[in-house]
Amino acid sequence: MPLLSPSSNSNFTLFSTSQNPSNLSKFSFKIPILPLHSPPHSLSSPQRCSSRDSSTQVLDQTPLPTSDSSNVAVSDERSRSNDTVPETDSSERVLVVRRPAMEVPSDGESDDDAASPIEVGLSDFAKKIAIFEPEEGVVSDSKEKPLKVNLDLALYRAKILTRNYRYAEAEELLEKCIYYWPEDGRAYVALGKALSKQSKTAEARAVYEKGCQATQGENPYIWQCWAVLEDKMGNTRRARELFDAATVADKRHIAAWHGWGVLELKQGNISKARHLLAKGLKFCGGNEYIYQTLALLEAKASRYEQARYLFRQATKCNPKSCASWLAWAQMEMQQENNRAARQLFEKSIQASPKNRFAWHVWGLFEANMGNVEKGRKLLKIGHALNPRDPVLLQSLALLEYENSTANLARQLFRRASELDPRHQPVWTAWGWMEWKEGNIATARKLYQKALSINSTSETAARCLQAWGVLEERNGNLSAARRLFRSSLNINSQSYVTWMTWASLEENQGNSVRAEEIRDLYFQQRTEVVDDASWVMGLLDIIDPALDRIRSVLKLDPTSQQSRLDSLRTILEGENENNTDEDSVSNDIESESGFDVDAFCIERLFLDPSKLEVQMQASPPSSLKRSREKVL
């Protein structure tokens, strides 16, 4: 097609001459072909392209669009409302006409709907793609996510709620922590422990598994807590695997080594337990819990000097370790070193003034020593500091039953059962007292209540044994045998249960059967074969800088007795070099000047003279309601 000159433009037909006026708007986008250098006045008064006046009116009377619009022409209704165009806008009209034209919307469309297909497509695309219109949790997550400090505050609040038995609120709060911070393992650990306290083991296992996946298996705390849960459920093999995973995730995680060693101790694998505990000392350095466990092993093997050395190491690592002082005191108590034991109890109280175990064990110790009044006071102080602990009330009830009246003991048992309706020893001890008082039916109900809580625990085994004695004394021999057998199915290592059963058969004239039962006990008993050869290697790990230990290692390695004698010499040398540690020894001749009443007033702001009033305070109504639900 030849190029058109300005003169030939008049012969070019732009619009259709259709008789349908509606078709005009469809062709109003067609721009006349103009020369590039046409004068401005030619744009303001274009030539007629058709014999119809309406076609020229579209171009002549079209209002100039603003700079934000890209349309050249609009509908007829808008053109009629803007008949005049200012002369000053002619330059703008030139610029607008030379821009690319777009189709004019149809008569039924408004001016807002006049958009190009590209803009429509982009608008649809923006509605589907989150980069243009972010959805919740995609782009806005970084803005809506709380600060990290809120995680610490929420975890602390959840800890307080769990301590106050408000488990539902604590779980809801921890779920939010997991939602906002899925990579932090502390929320999983706290939630799993809260569920475990409610005996929701399946839910706790699911939480730990989810936590391990979220942290990609690199959090040793979750593995360790999961292993402890499986150990409590009796899944020993699975617990070993989880402890192993915890040590692989972090070989410096001391709780995993210690928990694994304790598991092996329960299974009778003494040698493997020592190996694991020694590894914990090697990778993590000195730790009070490992020293304490090793010391208890030495005490069980009647190597008391080595046990004292390890207890001393434990208290060196943490002088505020109440558990180490208590364990050491109980060892001295078993050795009838009562003055040393009492001084160690005092140290445990000073290390942790509100520790319920310290007040409990010390109170029982004084009661067994004949100091009933002091033992009662210590138990009441412990209860005043720990009003939600049922064990203190249980021991106080037994003490009152032995030295006071059964009615007072019954009151204390009832209050302890209200504090924690799922505490089995309370129901078992209460049943034993009722049996002693001759209330056989009540004792049976209380034993049944204890077994309904958990029929596979160690407490259940003791409850079955006590119930068997009750039935034996009442002449129900077949029932007593069944109860003894059930108790041994739970704990086959109970010497008391085996001997009680053998005594029953012997009293009935079945001496052969009694001898068979005794033989069965010795045959199935787990024989603990232990030796002291590990001590040298352990002390080498504890303090490899000691030249004396190095010299001991050069002694005759075949003589086990020489190793023990050399170790005893080392321990004596340690005692000579640590004069302040001699204050806790077997030859203590003087009582300490520790005043319990002054200590309670100064450190605990507790008046021992008002303990009776505090003991008579009624439990909260919420505790009564929880007890009713359980019963």
Side-chain angles (χ1 to χ4, degrees):
M1 177 178 178
L3 295 174
L4 296 177
S5 61
S7 60
S8 63
N9 196 15
S10 60
N11 298 328
F12 179 74
T13 301
L14 178 62
F15 298 104
S16 172
T17 59
S18 172
Q19 299 298 326
N20 188 2
S22 63
N23 292 335
L24 181 60
S25 62
K26 296 181 181 180
F27 296 92
S28 60
F29 269 127
K30 306 288 185 176
I31 301 176
I33 302 176
L34 301 175
L36 295 177
H37 302 285
S38 59
H41 64 82
S42 62
L43 293 177
S44 62
S45 300
Q47 298 179 359
R48 294 180 180 270
C49 297
S50 173
S51 60
R52 297 176 60 92
D53 295 339
S54 61
S55 63
T56 59
Q57 187 179 2
V58 174
L59 291 178
D60 289 341
Q61 298 181 359
T62 301
L64 291 178
T66 60
S67 59
D68 296 336
S69 176
S70 60
N71 293 335
V72 178
V74 295
S75 61
D76 294 341
E77 291 83 4
R78 186 170 179 180
S79 66
R80 286 194 294 270
S81 64
N82 298 278
D83 292 336
T84 60
V85 180
E87 288 292 334
T88 57
D89 296 341
S90 61
S91 61
E92 295 182 3
R93 184 182 298 183
V94 174
L95 295 175
V96 172
V97 170
R98 294 177 63 84
R99 293 168 67 180
M102 295 180 293
E103 293 184 2
V104 178
S106 60
D107 295 340
E109 295 176 342
S110 63
D111 201 22
D112 296 337
D113 298 329
S116 67
I118 296 178
E119 290 182 351
V120 174
L122 287 176
S123 178
D124 295 339
F125 183 74
K127 293 177 181 179
K128 299 178 181 179
I129 301 302
I131 192 172
F132 292 97
E133 294 182 5
E135 297 178 358
E136 183 179 357
V138 182
V139 177
S140 61
D141 181 66
S142 60
K143 298 180 180 179
E144 296 178 2
K145 186 175 182 179
L147 297 176
K148 192 65 178 290
V149 67
N150 292 303
L151 173 61
D152 301 328
L153 295 174
L155 290 173
Y156 178 76
R157 177 169 175 77
K159 180 181 179 181
I160 298 300
L161 292 172
T162 305
R163 187 179 299 171
N164 294 329
Y165 301 93
R166 297 164 63 180
Y167 293 114
E169 300 175 44
E171 291 172 15
E172 182 180 359
L173 189 59
L174 292 171
E175 288 287 355
K176 289 182 180 179
C177 294
I178 292 174
Y179 174 77
Y180 285 112
W181 298 278
E183 72 283 353
D184 197 294
R186 292 177 293 173
Y188 299 99
V189 171
L191 182 57
K193 288 183 177 180
L195 293 171
S196 299
K197 289 181 179 179
Q198 304 173 71
S199 301
K200 298 179 180 179
T201 53
E203 292 87 341
R205 183 189 287 120
V207 168
Y208 290 141
E209 186 174 1
K210 179 182 177 182
C212 291
Q213 293 175 358
T215 57
Q216 299 180 357
E218 297 180 357
N219 192 302
Y221 297 93
I222 304 178
W223 290 114
Q224 185 258 339
C225 292
W226 190 1
V228 172
L229 176 66
E230 297 293 343
D231 183 24
K232 289 182 179 178
M233 297 175 64
N235 302 327
T236 306
R237 182 175 180 180
R238 180 61 173 161
R240 285 193 182 102
E241 296 174 355
L242 295 171
F243 277 127
D244 189 19
T247 57
V248 170
D250 184 6
K251 67 178 181 180
R252 296 183 179 275
H253 189 62
I254 191 67
W257 294 111
H258 182 259
W260 196 355
V262 172
L263 181 146
E264 298 300 340
L265 285 177
K266 293 178 181 177
Q267 299 299 317
N269 303 324
I270 306 298
S271 152
K272 187 173 182 179
R274 292 187 188 280
H275 178 68
L276 292 170
L277 295 173
K279 271 193 172 183
L281 290 176
K282 178 180 179 181
F283 293 124
C284 311
N287 181 269
E288 55 183 292
Y289 298 104
I290 290 187
Y291 284 133
Q292 175 189 333
T293 304
L294 290 171
L296 292 175
L297 281 175
E298 293 303 294
K300 190 175 182 180
S302 301
R303 294 193 288 266
Y304 300 108
E305 289 299 324
Q306 293 89 329
R308 290 188 181 95
Y309 174 80
L310 293 169
F311 276 129
R312 190 173 294 115
Q313 294 296 325
T315 54
K316 274 185 179 180
C317 288
N318 184 12
K320 297 295 183 180
S321 174
C322 183
S324 300
W325 292 113
L326 278 180
W328 192 355
Q330 291 182 78
M331 187 194 76
E332 299 295 348
M333 183 176 63
Q334 292 173 358
Q335 294 300 305
E336 298 183 356
N337 300 324
N338 298 325
R339 293 178 179 175
R342 183 176 289 108
Q343 193 166 11
L344 289 167
F345 281 127
E346 294 170 358
K347 286 183 176 291
S348 68
I349 292 297
Q350 294 172 358
S352 180
K354 294 186 179 182
N355 191 285
R356 58 191 179 98
F357 299 105
W359 293 104
H360 184 210
V361 180
W362 189 10
L364 295 180
F365 167 75
E366 295 295 347
N368 292 331
M369 292 294 297
N371 303 325
V372 177
E373 212 42 57
K374 187 175 182 179
R376 183 185 287 114
K377 177 190 290 187
L378 294 173
L379 291 176
K380 288 181 179 181
I381 293 173
H383 172 69
L385 297 173
N386 303 274
R388 294 192 60 86
D389 182 48
V391 180
L392 288 162
L393 285 180
Q394 172 194 336
S395 298
L396 186 58
L398 292 173
L399 182 64
E400 296 295 348
Y401 175 68
E402 293 291 335
N403 300 276
S404 181
T405 62
N407 288 332
L408 179 57
R410 196 174 286 114
Q411 255 185 347
L412 294 171
F413 276 127
R414 184 175 293 108
R415 187 173 303 172
S417 65
E418 290 173 351
L419 289 176
D420 189 359
R422 297 188 59 83
H423 191 71
Q424 284 182 288
V426 170
W427 301 102
T428 304
W430 192 357
W432 176 84
M433 189 201 74
E434 296 294 349
W435 168 57
K436 288 290 186 179
E437 288 295 302
N439 304 321
I440 306 300
T442 305
R444 287 194 181 104
K445 290 180 181 179
L446 292 170
Y447 286 145
Q448 288 176 353
K449 172 60 183 176
L451 294 173
S452 67
I453 297 172
N454 190 347
S455 60
T456 60
S457 62
E458 294 289 334
T459 306
R462 289 191 290 269
C463 179
L464 289 168
Q465 188 266 341
W467 195 353
V469 173
L470 181 149
E471 299 298 342
E472 177 191 357
R473 300 289 174 86
N474 286 272
N476 302 324
L477 301 181
S478 59
R481 291 187 179 96
R482 287 196 302 269
L483 290 168
F484 289 144
R485 191 178 295 109
S486 300
S487 177
L488 292 172
N489 287 336
I490 299 173
N491 182 17
S492 62
Q493 303 296 312
S494 175
Y495 173 82
V496 175
T497 307
W498 283 104
M499 296 301 110
T500 305
W501 189 4
S503 176
L504 181 149
E505 300 295 343
E506 200 165 38
N507 293 335
Q508 297 300 316
N510 302 328
S511 56
V512 177
R513 177 60 176 163
E515 193 63 29
E516 289 176 356
I517 291 173
R518 293 189 183 95
D519 292 340
L520 283 174
Y521 164 72
F522 289 106
Q523 289 174 9
Q524 60 81 42
R525 184 182 59 177
T526 302
E527 195 71 32
V528 178
V529 179
D530 197 5
D531 60 85
S533 60
W534 70 277
V535 177
M536 304 313 303
L538 178 65
L539 291 180
D540 189 44
I541 294 173
I542 292 174
D543 196 353
L546 289 178
D547 295 334
R548 287 172 294 175
I549 294 180
R550 299 294 185 185
S551 62
V552 169
L553 293 174
K554 297 178 182 179
L555 296 176
D556 183 9
T558 60
S559 175
Q560 189 177 39
Q561 188 61 37
S562 64
R563 290 186 178 186
L564 290 175
D565 295 339
S566 301
L567 179 61
R568 190 171 293 108
T569 303
I570 292 174
L571 295 172
E572 291 174 358
E574 290 289 332
N575 292 334
E576 292 174 1
N577 295 332
N578 298 279
T579 56
D580 42 324
E581 291 174 357
D582 287 338
S583 59
V584 184
S585 59
N586 294 341
D587 55 350
I588 297 178
E589 297 295 338
S590 61
E591 296 283 349
S592 64
F594 183 77
D595 189 351
V596 177
D597 294 343
F599 178 80
C600 291
I601 294 173
E602 295 175 4
R603 292 284 302 274
L604 302 175
F605 305 101
L606 181 67
D607 189 357
S609 63
K610 297 181 180 179
L611 292 177
E612 294 295 337
V613 178
Q614 296 176 10
M615 285 295 301
Q616 294 174 4
S618 60
S621 58
S622 59
L623 297 177
K624 294 182 179 179
R625 288 195 297 270
S626 63
R627 179 176 179 268
E628 291 174 0
K629 290 180 181 179
V630 173
L631 292 178

